[in-house]
Amino acid sequence: MPQALAEGRLGAALLPIERGDLTEARPLLAAAVGGGVSTGANASLFHGAPALEFVLSRAGQTDWRVRAATDRVVAARLASARRRRESGRLPALAEFDLIQGITGLTALLLSREEPPPLAMDALGYLTSLQRPVTADGEELPGWWSPGSPGHEEAPGGHANNGVAHGVAGILSALAISVRTGVRADGQEAAIDVFASWLETWGASWWITLPQLSAGVPPQPPPLRPSWCYGTIGIARALQLAGLAADNDSRRQAAEDAALAALGDPARLARVTDASLCHGWAGILTVTRAIAADSPAPERFAASMRLAGDRLAAGIAALPKPGFLEGRAGAQLALDGTDCAGWTRALLIR
């Protein structure tokens, strides 16, 4: 737990690092690594050596032993994905998602001063998920997961749409890499495949096999417009896709979708805490990023004021101290700066 970016001391250290207070950050980092650092199957952007590399790099520090450990983790995860693909099995969410998988590791590699060759391999893997797969006679999206998205049953699996665990995270990583000048073969086509899927099916947090077979996007009830799942995170992914491809109509549609969600009382009523993951801190942080890349940022001013007010009112009630669901992450959003680049962990920019 201490070496977890989401709720451990590693994530909590991001707040003093962003504020330039390394004296406060050092004991948190020391406590995080006191029991060793994972390079095993659970290592990811949000846990173990890759998480440690991300936090150290936010403080402008490079530990080559940690980087080498991260590279071993990435190579092992890519090799495991190749074996899974060759076996004809569908990928689990933890293979490719932002929190546990290759999307998050790709985001980390892209944040280095010089992205290594492994970054191209990781981008090639994410790009390959654009290719449909066939399972039990059904043609399915390449990121179709055989498991359930949560505690409910999902016979036949599902396609996850969220930033944290689904295709919106993959899309954001690919779009960000294009904007920074790093791209793999077929990446632009993959961006269009993933964005077109979200434009059709992205009103739901995930799509089940019966819904896909019906061929008609479901009409879900009002859903909270959160970062992890929801319209605001997906809108940012689509805006990034539009910017990466100079597709102004896609960018405009994404911004309009974000504004519609931010102005919908029924959806905002479902936001129940101040956290980054699914609360007001995430909504504010993503909306800031959308506004910064919009030709009409003033359209988002009222929504940012509302989110900021709700965040300020709710931050003290957060029971956890950490980054993703706790007070440290919420305070980062409230402070409103990103000098250290902590938002890369959310694939916002």
Side-chain angles (χ1 to χ4, degrees):
M1 187 61 183
Q3 57 185 282
L5 191 64
E7 289 305 328
R9 292 183 180 91
L10 271 183
L14 287 171
L15 178 58
I17 287 172
E18 174 63 23
R19 291 174 167 179
D21 188 351
L22 298 188
T23 300
E24 183 181 345
R26 283 191 187 97
L28 291 169
L29 293 172
V33 303
V37 180
S38 175
T39 59
N42 64 346
S44 67
L45 173 60
F46 277 77
H47 190 82
L52 177 60
E53 179 186 332
F54 179 78
V55 175
L56 289 176
S57 65
R58 299 312 93 189
Q61 303 297 313
T62 300
D63 186 310
W64 295 104
R65 295 167 302 170
V66 176
R67 278 201 176 181
T70 294
D71 288 349
R72 292 196 297 273
V73 168
V74 177
R77 297 296 290 276
L78 289 171
S80 177
R82 284 194 295 272
R83 290 193 296 271
R84 186 272 310 162
R85 187 167 49 214
E86 289 165 0
S87 74
R89 291 177 289 119
L90 295 171
L93 294 181
E95 177 179 298
F96 63 78
D97 76 4
L98 170 61
I99 302 298
Q100 301 176 80
I102 295 172
T103 295
L105 293 170
T106 304
L108 173 59
L109 296 176
L110 291 172
S111 72
R112 293 181 183 176
E113 306 84 12
E114 292 289 335
L118 267 177
M120 297 301 298
D121 296 337
L123 288 170
Y125 162 79
L126 295 180
T127 295
S128 75
L129 295 175
Q130 70 177 302
R131 296 196 292 270
V133 295
T134 301
D136 297 327
E138 295 272 358
E139 184 174 275
L140 303 169
W143 66 97
W144 193 272
S145 175
S148 166
H151 300 296
E152 62 192 67
E153 292 294 320
H158 76 291
N160 200 290
N161 289 336
V163 175
H165 296 294
V167 69
I170 301 170
L171 177 60
S172 295
L174 294 180
I176 288 168
S177 76
V178 167
R179 296 187 77 197
T180 57
V182 182
R183 66 190 71 195
D185 290 342
Q187 191 163 325
E188 287 85 352
I191 286 172
D192 188 60
V193 167
F194 300 143
S196 296
W197 168 274
L198 287 171
E199 287 166 341
T200 302
W201 300 95
S204 301
W205 288 354
W206 48 73
I207 297 299
T208 64
L209 187 56
Q211 291 169 339
L212 182 67
S213 298
V216 179
Q219 298 299 314
L223 302 172
R224 69 173 183 241
S226 55
W227 163 76
C228 56
Y229 284 106
T231 303
I232 195 72
I234 289 173
R236 176 56 173 166
L238 287 168
Q239 184 196 35
L240 286 168
L243 291 166
D246 292 323
N247 186 330
D248 198 56
S249 62
R250 175 165 282 161
R251 177 201 56 75
Q252 181 69 52
E255 293 173 15
D256 291 346
L259 280 171
L262 293 167
D264 185 346
R267 283 188 268 188
L268 295 181
R270 294 181 176 269
V271 183
T272 58
D273 71 29
S275 71
L276 272 177
C277 185
H278 44 259
W280 291 109
I283 291 171
L284 176 59
T285 303
V286 179
T287 305
R288 279 195 189 114
I290 292 174
D293 280 328
S294 171
E298 67 281 356
R299 295 201 299 160
F300 298 91
S303 295
M304 287 191 288
R305 284 194 297 271
L306 172 64
D309 290 345
R310 299 285 179 87
L311 169 56
I315 189 170
L318 288 171
K320 297 180 180 180
F323 173 65
L324 204 54
E325 295 184 349
R327 295 184 297 277
Q331 190 63 56
L332 281 164
L334 192 60
D335 287 355
T337 62
D338 190 24
C339 301
W342 61 269
T343 59
R344 177 56 62 89
L346 306 178
L347 276 179
I348 290 171
R349 54 168 66 93

